[in-house]
């Protein structure tokens, strides 16, 4: 009889088809287009950096799994962490820096707190920040994309748009129109120039070519962050697969955009409500952060309400660091700081009990 | 088309798999081997056994007497001889004393048309007594003795009687078929309940995946005139839970820890209404019920009228046996049912289905650490935080879990269904509740 091979389990006996490994795999799939773009525009060296990051992360994870006797490589979480670290590296970073970032992420940020699901900060971001402050020079020198090779020339060699903005704002005589005026010397790719012309001639729309370069990824920057388009495509995939919900990315991007619009004009000597929203959203790691890093389940709040609070916090801090910090970019730090606050956000944004009756006050 | 009602908080959408049996009309199950009739088939005290081994029993004869206020009578499902009285395991894993009956002799009720009783002269008290006498319990799954439920305190006013035709558990179609095939009888049952409870209004909630039942019930409700409203509901599990049903139908929340009567409502399953009709009009005790035998691991899924005490193995044989890839046999629905260890487990009053599941349709994968994704929190219809409660349960912090309203958990399984880490949340909560109660008793 079949009696001896029946599965005896607690209810429910049917299960949604999602699993931890499927979620991690979906995020990896969603990140692939941006990675292919990075290899195309920055060369095979990008692939090496990404591969080293992943291998270092997986090896560190494997060691910890053996030591702690729990967890599994099969959940793909270490591969994802390594991948994200690779995406946060410049092309020509020394390979040991990438490896150290991965190992720090897995050993210290993830396993010191108990492994998968119990880490407080996003491992990839914390690993990146660790090496950013340790090897700042190597971490902020970028290669020019093949689609816009002029960036590699003269004084602008190895600078990202946000970096150029940061340094030139120090010497600029205010007021200036905004970020684009300070980036006047920043090269424009042929593709962006012709697209801008086409928009002007066909629709009468004047769109600065820089926006096209930022949107398609013809600028210098960390490997995975340059192409806004491909990141958005990946984000849409995750949304369709229901791996991410709209709350964190929307709250993050919208609040960040609002802060930029309202206040960012001030530092260029302009008034309120004159910030360049599109420039700031498309540049730097904002989209990579908002779509793939802030949405990390482990380090974000549980409820939609909490996630909106979290997203707004990220948006606010990113704006503060970008506009007033000494670093050109603030996405990583903003998300890490909000990660630390998640426990507190969860505490105040928990679900409301069905049939909740407020306790009667003592008479 | 106006948008359908449903409850607001949480809920999940498992694949409903009703197409396996929703066209199968109810057939009588064969009588094969001995019957195992447990004395504990309901919430409350087990019935007191009133027969001895060797006794001859008749169909519908009282063999277990309600012991105490919350208890129910048990009747013999078949004519025959009491072989022995033994302890058996129920599907829930609980042990119960059971009367084992070897069928023999003549069926003096089945297949014969009895004259209907004219109950119009009976008082509510007499009707309640009849329900008690016939051993009627709630057939939705909770098996709460019906006479207790339908005897509200004298000062309570029943504003709404809400009939549960939701059948939100996937696979099950027993109530669906009952509503289609016994529509008239259910409405007559409602008249009886109306007389007992005198509600201002009767609502019948049915999920939209049973359009034929909705249509048929609506037609009849229109003929009967006012006072009965059919409420089609948007598909969402666990809408068949009385608290979610009341939220969907009346848009009122039953306060935490209270009964539906706190908002002036009484809820009853359609199957129970039909059983009450048969009990009052034909003096028929609750000795059989409709059971859906389904799942992709059974060769011929069916809806069967099954006598209480029938062995699950006999039913599976009746349905062509199981397929080679069947891995689990569940009594009840897939979300809240119990997986069984033995095919000799008897069908009891609360058995709405027997499911034979294949590995593929169960869809479970390996358990990993909690990702804090929050899906359980958003799925919980009671507004709990399952991930937090589970961690408390795992660390034996039962009092803490109680403070975070563990007792509001009704083990509907939404959290564990959506959990991508495949954590057995419901199992943890069951344990925590038991342990917390034990501690409370000790101190």
């Amino acid at each position: 009889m079949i009696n001896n091979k029946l599965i005896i389990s607690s209810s429910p006996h049917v299960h949604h088809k999602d699993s931890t490994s499927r979620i991690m795999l979906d995020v990896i799939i969603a990140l692939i287009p941006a990675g292919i773009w990075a290899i195309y525009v920055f060369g095979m060296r990008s692939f090496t950096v990404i591969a080293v990051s992943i291998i270092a992360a997986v090896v560190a994870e494997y060691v910890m799994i053996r030591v702690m006797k729990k967890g599994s490589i099969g959940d793909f979480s270490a591969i994802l962490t390594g991948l994200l670290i690779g995406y946060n590296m410049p092309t020509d970073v020394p390979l040991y820096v990438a490896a150290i970032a991965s190992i720090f992420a897995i050993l210290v940020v993830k396993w010191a707190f108990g492994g998968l699901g119990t880490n407080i900060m996003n491992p990839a971001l914390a690993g990146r920040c660790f090496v950013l402050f340790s090897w700042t020079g190597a971490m902020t020198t970028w290669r020019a994309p093949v689609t816009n090779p002029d960036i590699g020339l003269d004084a602008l060699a190895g600078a990202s748009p946000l970096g150029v903005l940061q340094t030139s704002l120090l010497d600029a005589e205010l007021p200036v129109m905004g970020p684009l005026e300070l980036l006047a010397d920043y090269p424009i790719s042929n593709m962006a120039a012709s697209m801008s012309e086409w928009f002007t001639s066909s629709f009468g729309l004047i769109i600065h070519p820089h926006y096209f370069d930022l949107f398609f990824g013809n600028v210098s920057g960390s490997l995975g962050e340059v192409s806004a388009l491909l990141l958005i495509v990946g984000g849409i995939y995750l949304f369709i697969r229901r791996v991410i919900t709209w709350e964190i990315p929307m709250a993050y991007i919208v609040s960040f955009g609002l802060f930029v619009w309202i206040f960012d004009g001030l530092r260029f000597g302009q008034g309120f409500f004159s910030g360049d929203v599109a420039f700031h959203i498309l540049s730097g790691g904002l989209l990579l952060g908002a779509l793939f890093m802030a949405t990390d389940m482990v380090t974000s709040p549980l409820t939609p309400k909490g996630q909106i609070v979290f997203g707004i916090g990220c948006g606010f801090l990113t704006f503060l660091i970008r506009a007033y910090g000494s670093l050109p970019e603030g996405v990583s730090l903003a998300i890490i700081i909000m990660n630390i606050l998640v426990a507190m956000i969860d505490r105040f944004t928990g679900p409301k009990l069905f049939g909740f009756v407020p306790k009667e006050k003592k008479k | 088309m106006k948008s359908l009602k449903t409850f607001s908080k949480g809920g999940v959408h498992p694949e409903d798999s009703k197409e396996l049996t929703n066209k199968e009309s109810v057939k009588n199950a064969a009588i094969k081997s001995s019957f195992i009739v447990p004395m504990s088939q309901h919430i409350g005290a087990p019935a007191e056994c009133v027969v001895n081994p060797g006794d001859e029993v008749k169909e519908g004869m009282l063999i277990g007497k309600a012991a105490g206020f919350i208890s129910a009578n048990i009747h013999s499902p078949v004519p025959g001889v009491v072989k022995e009285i033994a302890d058996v395991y129920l599907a829930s894993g609980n042990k119960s004393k059971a009367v084992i009956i070897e069928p023999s002799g003549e069926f003096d009720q089945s297949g014969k048309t009895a004259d209907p009783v004219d109950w119009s002269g009976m008082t509510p008290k007499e009707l309640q007594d009849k329900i008690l006498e016939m051993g009627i319990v709630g057939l939705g799954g909770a098996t709460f003795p019906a006479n207790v439920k339908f005897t509200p305190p004298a000062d309570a006013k029943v504003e709404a009687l809400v009939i549960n035709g939701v059948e939100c558990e996937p696979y099950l179609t027993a109530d669906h078929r009952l509503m289609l095939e016994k529509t008239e009888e259910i409405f007559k049952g409602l008249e009886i309940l109306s007389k007992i409870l005198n509600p201002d209004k009767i609502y019948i909630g049915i999920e939209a995946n049973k359009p034929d039942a909705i249509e048929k019930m609506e037609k009849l409700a229109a003929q009967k005139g006012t006072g009965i409203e059919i409420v089609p509901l948007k598909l969402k599990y666990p809408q068949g839970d009385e608290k979610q049903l009341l939220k969907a139908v009346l848009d009122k929340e039953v306060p935490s820890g209270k009964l539906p009567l706190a908002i002036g409502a009484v809820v009853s399953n359609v199957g129970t209404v039909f059983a009450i009709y048969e009990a009052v009009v034909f003096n028929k005790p609750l000795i059989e019920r409709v059971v859906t035998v389904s799942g992709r691991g059974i060769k011929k899924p069916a809806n069967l009228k099954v006598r209480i005490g029938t062995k699950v193995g006999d039913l599976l044989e009746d349905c062509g046996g199981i397929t080679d890839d069947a891995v689990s046999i569940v009594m009840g629905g897939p979300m809240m049912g119990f997986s069984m260890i033995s095919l000799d487990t008897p069908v009891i009053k609360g058995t709405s289905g027997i499911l034979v599941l294949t590995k593929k349709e169960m869809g479970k994968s390996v358990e990993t650490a909690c990702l804090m994704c929050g899906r359980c929190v958003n799925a919980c219809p009671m507004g709990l935080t399952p991930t937090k409660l589970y961690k408390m349960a795992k660390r034996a912090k039962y009092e803490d879990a109680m403070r975070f309203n563990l007792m509001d958990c009704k083990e509907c399984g939404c959290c564990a269904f959506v959990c991508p880490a495949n954590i057995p949340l419901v199992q943890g909560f069951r344990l925590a509740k038991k342990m917390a109660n034990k501690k409370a008793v000790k101190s």
Side-chain angles (χ1 to χ4, degrees):
Chain A
M1 203 54 210
I2 61 158
N3 284 21
N4 54 355
K5 57 172 190 181
L6 285 179
I7 294 177
I8 308 297
S9 59
S10 172
S11 64
H13 305 284
V14 287
H15 196 275
H16 194 272
K17 58 187 180 303
D18 257 356
S19 63
T20 301
S21 52
R22 182 68 225 189
I23 287 173
M24 298 291 171
L25 196 60
D26 270 334
V27 182
I28 292 170
I29 291 169
L31 282 165
I32 284 175
I36 292 174
W37 179 258
I39 294 166
Y40 168 62
V41 292
F42 299 126
M44 274 314 281
R45 167 80 188 178
S46 315
F47 178 78
T48 315
V49 172
I50 294 171
V52 166
S53 308
I54 293 177
I55 291 167
V58 171
V59 169
E61 174 93 351
Y62 181 74
V63 169
M64 289 315 290
I65 287 170
R66 295 305 292 267
V67 172
M68 305 298 289
K69 295 186 177 62
K70 66 171 189 173
S72 156
I73 295 284
D75 61 27
F76 301 128
S77 62
I79 298 176
L80 178 58
T81 300
L83 186 69
L84 283 169
I85 285 176
Y87 279 25
N88 275 298
M89 294 288 145
T91 316
D92 294 306
V93 74
L95 293 178
Y96 65 84
V97 173
I100 288 171
S102 283
I103 293 166
F104 181 83
I106 298 289
L107 252 49
V108 179
V109 187
K110 186 176 178 185
W111 279 95
F113 290 88
L116 180 67
T118 44
N119 49 294
I120 291 167
M121 291 183 273
N122 184 322
L125 282 179
R128 187 220 161 183
C129 285
F130 176 69
V131 293
L132 175 68
F133 293 119
S134 309
W135 288 275
T136 311
M139 284 294 291
T140 48
T141 311
W142 283 281
R143 191 187 275 201
V146 291
T147 47
N148 196 1
D150 291 347
I151 301 175
L153 305 174
D154 62 42
L156 290 168
S160 67
L162 282 173
V164 175
L165 180 66
Q166 176 95 12
T167 42
S168 45
L169 190 58
L170 292 173
D171 319 321
E173 273 182 41
L174 298 180
V176 293
M177 284 303 293
L180 291 183
E181 190 180 329
L182 293 173
L183 288 173
D185 295 337
Y186 201 82
I188 291 163
S189 71
N190 296 334
M191 175 187 148
S194 51
M195 285 196 82
S196 177
E197 256 171 51
W198 181 73
F199 265 89
T200 315
S201 58
S202 316
F203 305 108
L205 283 172
I206 298 170
I207 302 176
H208 196 285
H210 276 327
Y211 292 128
F212 291 104
D213 277 339
L214 288 167
F215 184 69
F216 289 105
N218 302 322
V219 293
S220 291
S222 299
L223 294 178
E225 71 178 22
V226 288
S227 175
L229 170 69
L230 295 175
L231 291 171
I232 292 169
V233 168
I236 290 172
Y237 172 78
L238 289 186
F239 188 76
I240 292 171
R241 294 277 313 156
R242 302 191 179 205
V243 172
I244 61 172
T245 51
W246 61 270
E247 281 89 357
I248 292 176
M250 281 304 262
Y252 192 165
I253 295 168
V254 169
S255 67
F256 174 73
L258 276 176
F259 285 120
V260 167
W261 179 57
I262 297 173
F263 299 110
D264 198 48
L266 297 177
R267 59 186 178 126
F268 300 99
Q270 305 284 338
F272 288 103
F273 305 107
S274 62
D276 191 339
V277 178
F279 171 81
H280 273 289
I281 288 179
L282 295 174
S283 57
L286 187 89
L287 286 172
L288 182 64
L291 292 169
F292 295 94
M293 314 279 246
T295 52
D296 171 26
M297 291 167 172
V298 178
T299 54
S300 61
L302 292 169
T303 61
K305 223 188 323 177
Q307 290 169 354
I308 289 173
V309 173
F310 176 83
I312 293 173
C314 287
F316 175 66
L317 289 175
T318 306
F319 165 72
L320 269 192
I321 299 169
R322 265 199 197 180
Y324 301 108
S326 62
L327 292 165
E329 170 63 309
V331 171
S332 312
L333 286 173
I335 296 175
I336 286 183
I337 293 169
M338 290 311 293
N339 284 163
I340 297 168
L341 298 178
V342 162
M344 202 167 77
I345 295 172
D346 273 340
R347 201 186 164 114
F348 293 104
T349 55
K352 186 171 155 276
L353 187 70
F354 183 96
F356 176 72
V357 198
K359 284 210 175 88
E360 279 176 37
K361 282 175 190 160
K362 279 177 189 166
K363 282 167 194 168
Chain B
M1 201 183 118
K2 74 172 191 203
S3 65
L4 297 173
K5 289 180 175 180
T6 187
F7 58 99
S8 46
K9 198 192 295 272
V12 293
H13 297 95
E15 189 191 341
D16 81 352
S17 300
K18 306 240 187 206
E19 71 283 354
L20 294 175
T21 52
N22 62 7
K23 299 278 186 293
E24 300 289 332
S25 50
V26 180
K27 293 190 210 90
N28 286 326
I31 289 171
K32 286 210 158 78
S33 56
S34 54
F35 282 71
I36 302 166
V37 188
M39 289 295 112
S40 177
Q41 304 187 23
H42 44 264
I43 288 183
E48 192 186 314
C49 181
V50 294
V51 288
N52 294 306
D55 284 3
E56 208 167 293
V57 291
K58 283 182 178 165
E59 186 184 13
M61 195 178 106
L62 187 75
I63 55 173
K65 201 170 176 318
F69 176 56
I70 299 181
S71 185
N73 285 338
I74 310 274
H75 303 79
S76 174
V78 285
V81 179
V82 177
K83 203 160 72 176
E84 62 171 314
I85 292 170
D87 279 342
V88 297
Y89 283 104
L90 304 180
S92 61
N94 294 328
K95 222 179 203 181
S96 166
K97 191 189 258 188
V99 177
I100 296 164
I101 301 168
E102 200 62 56
S104 63
E106 202 186 336
F107 287 80
D108 47 9
Q109 286 183 359
S110 301
K112 290 173 184 138
T113 30
D115 292 329
V117 175
D118 177 25
W119 56 272
S120 54
M122 289 167 82
T123 63
K125 176 79 178 80
E126 283 167 338
L127 290 169
Q128 285 158 352
D129 288 345
K130 183 59 89 180
I131 292 172
L132 168 68
E133 186 193 330
M134 294 303 162
I136 311 294
V137 299
L139 295 182
T143 61
F144 191 77
N147 64 302
V148 183
K149 186 186 238 178
F150 297 127
T151 312
D155 57 340
K157 168 75 189 129
V158 178
E159 287 162 21
L161 171 62
V162 180
I163 303 303
N164 190 344
V166 175
E167 207 166 43
C168 61
E169 277 269 16
Y171 296 92
L172 305 186
T173 54
D175 288 352
H176 181 183
R177 293 310 306 182
L178 201 64
M179 286 189 282
L180 275 179
E181 295 171 29
K182 302 286 179 193
T183 325
E184 286 276 354
E185 289 83 347
I186 290 170
F187 274 81
K188 281 183 189 147
L190 285 179
E191 286 171 25
I192 298 168
L193 279 182
S194 280
K195 178 146 190 185
I196 300 173
L197 298 170
N198 195 22
D200 295 344
K201 190 154 182 197
I202 299 176
Y203 300 87
I204 306 178
I206 307 172
E207 273 192 348
N209 58 356
K210 299 179 256 301
D212 45 353
I214 294 173
E215 195 188 331
K216 198 157 180 206
M217 299 283 276
E218 260 171 355
K219 217 182 251 170
L220 214 60
Q223 282 173 21
K224 298 270 169 188
T226 54
I228 300 181
E229 187 190 331
I230 311 294
V231 189
L233 299 166
K234 199 172 144 193
L235 219 61
K236 189 154 87 166
Y237 178 87
Q239 197 143 239
D241 181 279
E242 61 184 15
K243 288 190 174 180
Q244 268 58 45
L245 180 64
L246 289 172
K247 175 73 183 166
V249 172
L250 304 175
D251 197 23
K252 284 184 189 166
E253 289 190 9
V254 179
S256 168
K258 294 276 169 57
L259 293 171
L261 211 51
I263 58 166
V266 171
V267 181
S268 176
N269 178 269
V270 280
T272 318
V273 177
F274 177 70
I276 287 171
Y277 159 81
E278 287 202 312
V280 172
V281 177
F282 293 109
N283 271 317
K284 187 181 161 191
L286 183 54
I287 55 168
E288 55 184 7
R289 64 158 298 150
V290 182
V291 176
T292 302
V293 185
S294 186
R296 287 172 181 86
I298 188 94
K299 287 190 178 136
K300 282 183 267 167
N303 285 304
L304 298 175
K305 197 179 220 185
V306 181
R307 282 166 201 266
I308 306 300
T310 305
K311 287 178 202 159
V312 168
D314 291 351
L315 278 185
L316 297 183
E317 252 174 62
D318 240 11
C319 295
I322 63 171
T323 61
D324 292 339
D325 53 351
V327 293
S328 189
I329 302 177
V330 173
M331 182 173 282
M335 296 296 285
M336 291 187 72
F338 301 98
S339 54
M340 283 181 281
I341 46 173
S342 163
L343 295 179
D344 289 339
T345 312
V347 166
I348 57 173
K349 290 176 180 177
T351 306
S352 44
I354 304 288
L355 306 177
V356 186
L357 302 174
T358 60
K359 194 154 199 169
K360 187 160 169 270
E361 64 189 316
M362 292 174 80
K364 294 197 185 187
S365 48
V366 283
E367 184 184 340
T368 71
C370 169
L371 296 177
M372 301 290 286
C373 63
R375 290 184 187 180
C376 57
V377 184
N378 299 322
C380 179
M382 299 311 285
L384 304 172
T385 308
T387 171
K388 193 163 69 180
L389 290 174
Y390 184 76
K391 280 166 193 163
M392 290 169 184
K394 224 177 163 183
R395 291 172 192 148
K397 304 256 183 214
Y398 305 124
E399 283 92 354
D400 286 357
M402 301 289 270
R403 274 199 298 120
F404 285 95
N405 306 299
L406 175 67
M407 283 305 166
D408 277 308
C409 167
K410 52 204 178 196
E411 300 162 22
C412 66
C414 289
C415 52
F417 172 78
V418 294
C419 179
N422 280 270
I423 296 170
L425 292 151
V426 175
Q427 194 174 0
F429 301 151
R430 284 210 187 101
L431 175 76
K433 284 182 193 175
K434 271 216 165 114
M435 298 304 284
N437 281 338
K438 239 184 209 170
K439 271 194 177 172
V441 169
K442 260 185 202 164
S443 56

